């Protein structure tokens, strides 16, 4: 019985295979058996040995409670597959030596550095994804009322003047003439704007600049898209 040399790839592979259908070295709760085997492992098993690595990280979480875990710690050769020869030697001296070495804390700094490295990698990946993600452009749909001076104003020309206003983030839409009384009609025209680039003040300033045709401009409706 045993795992062989748990500091060797072969020993770790045996441990991984042994734990493929087990949560612990013995029984259904962490015990001194897990402590004994844990202390024989030099550090975290490689990622491809997923069962051994899962067990290692779980038992490491009991670092402060290891002395209170149930059971009696036996020599390493008393644990593991029955078909594997115990190469750890007779165990009293080895067990004593193992007791003198607290491997629960031996790789604390290494683990801390590894955790820091993983955290930095994940943060870098997150920032990279965030940078690649297109920024959401805030847009608004605006309905404008453009009023002429009188019923003799050329409304086709008035609309042509309004649509001649071009700007980055401005798209003109549909339009219609709406009667306002006394034979006068106002131009009601839709536009979509990018909020950071085009505002209603700018639209009003440029539209009313066509003073031969435009008396005033009002915002009839304003909706965020």
């Amino acid at each position: 019985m045993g795992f062989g040399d748990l500091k060797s790839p072969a020993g770790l592979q045996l441990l991984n295979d042994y734990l493929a259908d087990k949560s612990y070295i013995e029984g259904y709760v962490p015990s001194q058996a897990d402590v004994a085997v844990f202390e024989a492992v030099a550090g975290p098993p490689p990622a491809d040995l997923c069962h051994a690595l899962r067990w290692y990280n779980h038992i490491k979480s009991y670092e402060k409670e290891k002395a209170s875990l149930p059971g009696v710690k036996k020599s390493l050769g008393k644990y593991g597959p029955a078909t594997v020869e115990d190469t750890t030697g007779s165990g009293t001296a080895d067990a004593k030596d193992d007791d003198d070495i607290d491997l629960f804390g031996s790789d604390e700094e290494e683990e801390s550095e590894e955790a820091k490295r993983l955290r930095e990698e994940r943060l870098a990946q997150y920032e990279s994804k965030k940078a690649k993600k297109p920024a959401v452009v805030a847009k608004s749909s605006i309905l404008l009322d453009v009023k002429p001076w009188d019923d003799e104003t050329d409304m086709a020309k008035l609309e042509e003047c309004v649509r001649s206003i071009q700007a980055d983030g401005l798209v003109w839409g549909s339009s219609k003439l709406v009667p306002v009384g006394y034979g006068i009609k106002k131009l009601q025209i839709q536009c979509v704007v990018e909020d950071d680039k085009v505002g209603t003040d700018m639209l009003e300033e440029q539209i009313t600049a066509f003073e031969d045709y435009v008396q005033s401009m009002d915002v009839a409706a304003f909706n965020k898209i």
Side-chain angles (χ1 to χ4, degrees):
M1 179 176 284
F3 294 106
D5 182 4
L6 281 171
K7 293 180 174 60
S8 70
L12 289 175
Q13 183 65 58
L14 278 172
L15 177 63
N16 186 71
D17 295 343
Y18 182 77
L19 291 168
D21 58 354
K22 299 176 182 64
S23 296
Y24 303 102
I25 300 300
E26 289 183 345
Y28 300 97
V29 294
S31 68
Q32 292 301 317
D34 296 285
V35 175
V37 176
F38 183 95
E39 290 179 345
V41 178
D48 59 324
L49 301 180
C50 56
H51 304 299
L53 181 59
R54 177 260 308 161
W55 168 85
Y56 180 93
N57 289 331
H58 181 55
I59 300 304
K60 184 174 175 60
S61 69
Y62 287 91
E63 178 180 356
K64 295 181 180 179
E65 298 89 9
K66 68 172 184 173
S68 63
L69 294 179
V72 177
K73 189 192 298 184
K74 296 178 286 190
S75 63
L76 188 60
K78 300 298 183 181
Y79 307 110
T83 55
V84 177
E85 182 181 357
D86 176 14
T87 60
T88 59
S90 87
T92 308
D94 290 345
K96 184 178 185 306
D97 290 342
D98 287 345
D99 286 342
D100 292 338
I101 303 173
D102 183 5
L103 290 183
F104 275 91
S106 65
D107 61 340
E108 184 175 353
E109 183 176 350
E110 178 184 342
E111 282 291 285
S112 177
E113 289 300 319
E114 178 69 9
K116 181 179 178 181
R117 183 184 66 79
L118 287 173
R119 183 171 65 254
E120 289 176 349
E121 284 183 0
R122 287 170 183 166
L123 282 172
Q125 290 172 359
Y126 172 77
E127 292 297 334
S128 177
K129 288 180 181 179
K130 186 177 178 181
K132 292 178 182 178
K133 186 177 180 180
V136 177
V137 178
K139 294 183 178 182
S140 298
S141 174
I142 306 175
L143 183 64
L144 301 176
D145 282 345
V146 184
K147 297 175 183 176
W149 287 106
D150 50 39
D151 59 344
E152 295 183 356
T153 300
D154 186 339
M155 296 304 292
K157 186 64 178 177
L158 184 149
E159 180 174 353
E160 180 184 337
C161 291
V162 171
R163 290 185 181 275
S164 71
I165 299 170
Q166 300 294 318
D168 183 24
L170 169 65
V171 178
W172 294 108
S174 59
S175 64
K176 63 180 179 180
L177 296 179
V178 179
V180 293
Y182 303 102
I184 300 174
K185 295 180 180 180
K186 65 182 178 181
L187 172 69
Q188 199 166 72
I189 186 167
Q190 191 88 25
C191 67
V192 173
V193 302
E194 292 183 23
D195 295 348
D196 290 341
K197 298 178 179 178
V198 179
T200 54
D201 289 344
M202 186 207 84
L203 289 173
E204 181 175 15
E205 180 181 349
Q206 294 201 29
I207 288 173
T208 55
F210 298 106
E211 55 187 21
D212 289 342
Y213 301 96
V214 178
Q215 181 192 88
S216 64
M217 185 215 86
D218 296 312
V219 176
F222 189 106
N223 297 293
K224 292 287 185 181
I225 298 177

